[in-house]
Amino acid sequence: MSETRGLIEVADALFGGAMTTAAAAIAGRLMWHSTQVRSGRRRFFGRELLWELPIAIGMAIIGEAVAAYLGLDRTVSTGVVASLAYLGPRGAEALLTRVLFRRKDI
């Protein structure tokens, strides 16, 4: 019986882990960019789109570090990267602040 493989496992096998992580980060930033376009805050092919690439790369590095620290497997790690890339630096900061500084008396 053959083993069923998911999208991330196939992408890892075809392109390698680094390319899969980069693709996940770019997909996360494009999802966020698309919501900005839909709400009328941006044009799809505007100058702002160029700034998304360094953000995606930075969030990929951060996401992989977080996933490694938490000991997550490759599939979950890729999901963490895409999620953090979607949130971006400000969203990740807000999430981290909420997690680290949540009140204990609630």
Side-chain angles (χ1 to χ4, degrees):
M1 186 158 89
S2 67
E3 180 182 331
T4 303
R5 297 172 71 183
L7 176 64
I8 294 170
E9 289 86 7
V10 171
D12 274 347
L14 290 174
F15 307 112
M19 290 304 294
T20 304
T21 299
I26 291 168
R29 286 316 295 168
L30 282 176
M31 288 187 294
W32 182 83
H33 179 73
S34 296
T35 59
Q36 296 296 304
V37 171
R38 262 187 271 128
S39 65
R41 294 186 189 110
R42 291 182 168 194
R43 294 178 297 140
F44 188 79
F45 289 111
R47 276 186 288 188
E48 301 88 0
L49 189 57
L50 294 173
W51 290 108
E52 298 303 329
L53 187 59
I55 293 172
I57 293 168
M59 296 312 293
I61 293 167
I62 293 167
E64 282 219 327
V66 167
Y69 178 76
L70 296 174
L72 304 175
D73 72 7
R74 187 77 200 126
T75 303
V76 179
S77 171
T78 304
V80 167
V81 167
S83 299
L84 286 177
Y86 176 82
L87 291 174
R90 282 191 247 155
E93 177 186 14
L95 178 66
L96 185 62
T97 300
R98 180 174 281 219
V99 168
L100 291 178
F101 299 109
R102 66 178 152 203
R103 292 177 46 178
K104 301 293 183 196
D105 59 338
I106 296 177

